[in-house]
Amino acid sequence: MPSAVPVDSNRQTLTVTRLRTAGAAVPRQARYGTLSYDSLFRAMPEYAQVMQSVARIRLEYYKETEYNAANFKRLFLEYLQGQQDFPRNILLKRQRDLQNEMERDIAFREQADSLIEAARAEMLRPVTAKLDSAIRVVGRERGYDFIINTDANAYPYYNPALSEDATPYVRALLVAIKPEQ
């Protein structure tokens, strides 16, 4: 049986729509933080400690390289001085010795460079982990959807109305966390 009361269908639709959306979450705009990862990383005291350690290691390898170079020079001078007097077989042996010494020196330099870089990467791993952790904590605490690293001009534009510089918050958290000894 039809209703005797007239119904305004537009008003009813509007009311139902309001009721449905009142309980639903209204999508919000993305909120993000920005920071320079590199500047935060290089400002950490642990980074400075690692760089000092790497410099000490590099100095030790440099001393060894200088020792090897001095040894090569000594062998080369002996070769030059005796070149006229050596019999052919001794001359060839000295040439091989010089060649071997030079190859060992080159191999040592290459190995030293890769060992120094590996030591640097290993020592920086906990520093990087600490910074990454601090960034994640700040992101959660500040309610960011994501944090943009502004290094290397990867984002030539972002809307500053939707962003916030996260650097001071991350820096404050890093200061609050005691450096590991």
Side-chain angles (χ1 to χ4, degrees):
M1 174 169 197
S3 165
V5 180
V7 177
D8 183 2
S9 65
N10 287 338
R11 179 181 273 172
Q12 187 178 17
T13 304
L14 184 60
T15 304
V16 169
T17 304
R18 283 185 187 156
L19 288 174
R20 286 183 186 157
T21 59
V26 177
R28 66 176 179 84
Q29 287 185 318
R31 181 176 144 101
Y32 55 91
T34 60
L35 55 77
S36 170
Y37 190 95
D38 194 49
S39 65
L40 283 168
F41 190 60
R42 291 176 186 272
M44 294 174 68
E46 297 90 343
Y47 177 83
Q49 292 169 353
V50 167
M51 291 300 105
Q52 288 173 352
S53 295
V54 169
R56 281 192 298 275
I57 293 169
R58 193 175 305 278
L59 180 62
E60 291 302 316
Y61 279 107
Y62 176 76
K63 288 177 183 177
E64 186 64 23
T65 301
E66 287 299 306
Y67 171 79
N68 292 341
N71 191 39
F72 179 79
K73 285 179 186 176
R74 181 186 55 77
L75 289 174
F76 187 68
L77 285 175
E78 289 174 4
Y79 171 78
L80 289 177
Q81 290 171 352
Q83 188 175 10
Q84 301 300 328
D85 303 330
F86 290 146
R88 177 147 174 81
N89 62 345
I90 292 178
L91 186 64
L92 292 174
K93 180 198 174 295
R94 295 281 176 105
Q95 286 175 348
R96 278 193 310 272
D97 289 346
L98 284 170
Q99 182 67 32
N100 289 339
E101 188 67 28
M102 187 169 57
E103 289 170 1
R104 267 197 310 271
D105 185 48
I106 291 170
F108 176 78
R109 288 173 192 254
E110 290 172 354
Q111 183 183 24
D113 288 342
S114 66
L115 289 173
I116 290 169
E117 188 52 39
R120 180 183 178 277
E122 183 64 29
M123 288 187 279
L124 284 176
R125 193 168 289 122
V127 181
T128 302
K130 179 180 176 181
L131 178 56
D132 290 347
S133 176
I135 290 170
R136 281 191 298 277
V137 167
V138 167
R140 277 191 302 273
E141 287 177 356
R142 304 290 302 167
Y144 299 141
D145 293 318
F146 50 92
I147 296 179
I148 296 173
N149 180 3
T150 58
D151 293 341
N153 203 22
Y155 295 93
Y157 174 78
Y158 50 86
N159 188 342
L162 298 176
S163 69
E164 175 178 64
D165 184 7
T167 304
Y169 305 111
V170 174
R171 188 174 286 131
L173 184 58
L174 288 171
V175 168
I177 300 170
K178 299 288 184 208
E180 296 177 13
Q181 297 296 332

